[in-house]
Amino acid sequence: NIQIITIGDSAYPDRLRAIPDPPTVLYVRGRWPDFDSVPAVAVVGTRKATPYGLKVADQIGTTLARAGMITVSGMALGNDGAAHRGALKAGGLTVAVLAGGPDVCYPPQHRSLMGDILLMGAIISEYPPGTEPHGRNYHQRNRIISGLSLGVAAVEAAEHSGTLITARLALDQNREVFAVPGPADAPMSAGTNGLIARGEAKLIRSAQDILVEYVTRFPHKVRQA
């Protein structure tokens, strides 16, 4: 049950096609949404999430879903998983982009989450079935997460993390970047606080701060939640 979408297919998202290095093929499981008509926002963060970060990521996923938006993330432990679960809880669309094949569940602890995502959204990858995730694949994966989305919301991130790589890719792709602030001495907020301090990300206190960016631009697609 794996659908193959090539860069020349009409189902291939225009937004992703426009990035500097789009994947030539996507392997898709589940319900592939129409990214050209339904706005999407990526919600990403650290695997070593704090209770604060898990709560915020869940709330953002829930609110985006209620607003009619797609929540995109990487199905990782921590903030990513919380964002997916929030969207699922609200009955919304969520899409997980994997660094391995679309049939390879990683982390293995997320097997049940993967099953839930397949019922309500999609699992996608540029890697063929059976591909095990490797470190070099994650940077490539991150450009798809940001490329599918109008903007990227960073919930928690250390000073050197994959979350910050995704944020920089989003900036390179002319996407909006949002960041959740945390305590000045919190290691898992050092990266997000830095994005805000450098003016690279808009400070958000809740998903409502994301929605205000899109409600007027997509009045028939995005609603206040």
Side-chain angles (χ1 to χ4, degrees):
N1 296 323
I2 296 175
Q3 180 183 1
I4 299 174
I5 300 175
T6 69
I7 196 168
D9 291 341
S10 60
Y12 194 100
D14 288 340
R15 193 178 302 119
L16 183 62
R17 190 185 284 117
I19 70 173
D21 52 349
T24 56
V25 64
L26 295 172
Y27 297 90
V28 179
R29 297 178 65 203
R31 299 169 53 198
W32 180 241
D34 183 358
F35 278 95
D36 292 333
S37 64
V38 183
V41 167
V43 184
V44 296
T46 181
R47 291 170 173 81
K48 299 177 181 178
T50 67
Y52 163 75
L54 293 173
K55 178 181 178 181
V56 172
D58 179 281
Q59 290 176 339
I60 292 175
T62 298
T63 303
L64 292 177
R66 288 175 177 165
M69 302 185 77
I70 303 167
T71 302
V72 181
S73 197
M75 210 179 80
L77 295 172
N79 296 145
D80 288 23
H84 286 305
R85 290 189 180 93
L88 292 168
K89 181 170 57 179
L93 283 169
T94 188
V95 171
V97 186
L98 304 188
D103 59 334
V104 178
C105 183
Y106 189 85
Q109 301 97 306
H110 277 176
R111 192 166 302 279
S112 62
L113 175 61
M114 188 179 194
D116 291 340
I117 293 172
L118 287 171
L119 292 174
M120 299 292 293
I123 302 287
I124 74 169
S125 175
E126 66 179 316
Y127 301 103
T131 303
E132 293 293 330
H134 296 288
R136 63 182 180 273
N137 295 0
Y138 285 93
H139 180 86
Q140 295 294 97
R141 183 275 305 269
N142 291 346
R143 85 192 194 287
I144 300 176
I145 290 176
S146 56
L148 287 169
S149 308
L150 295 168
V152 171
V155 179
E156 290 184 299
E159 284 191 295
H160 304 285
S161 68
T163 300
L164 295 187
I165 292 174
T166 306
R168 293 190 185 101
L169 288 166
L171 292 170
D172 291 342
Q173 296 167 352
N174 294 315
R175 307 300 196 250
E176 281 120 356
V177 177
F178 310 95
V180 177
D185 60 348
M188 289 303 109
S189 291
T192 47
N193 288 344
L195 287 171
I196 296 166
R198 292 188 297 272
E200 296 172 340
K202 175 184 176 181
L203 184 153
I204 56 171
R205 297 157 298 177
S206 70
Q208 296 298 334
D209 292 331
I210 299 174
L211 294 184
V212 297
E213 297 290 329
Y214 303 117
V215 168
T216 55
R217 286 163 53 183
F218 302 93
H220 302 298
K221 300 293 182 181
V222 180
R223 56 187 178 270
Q224 288 287 359

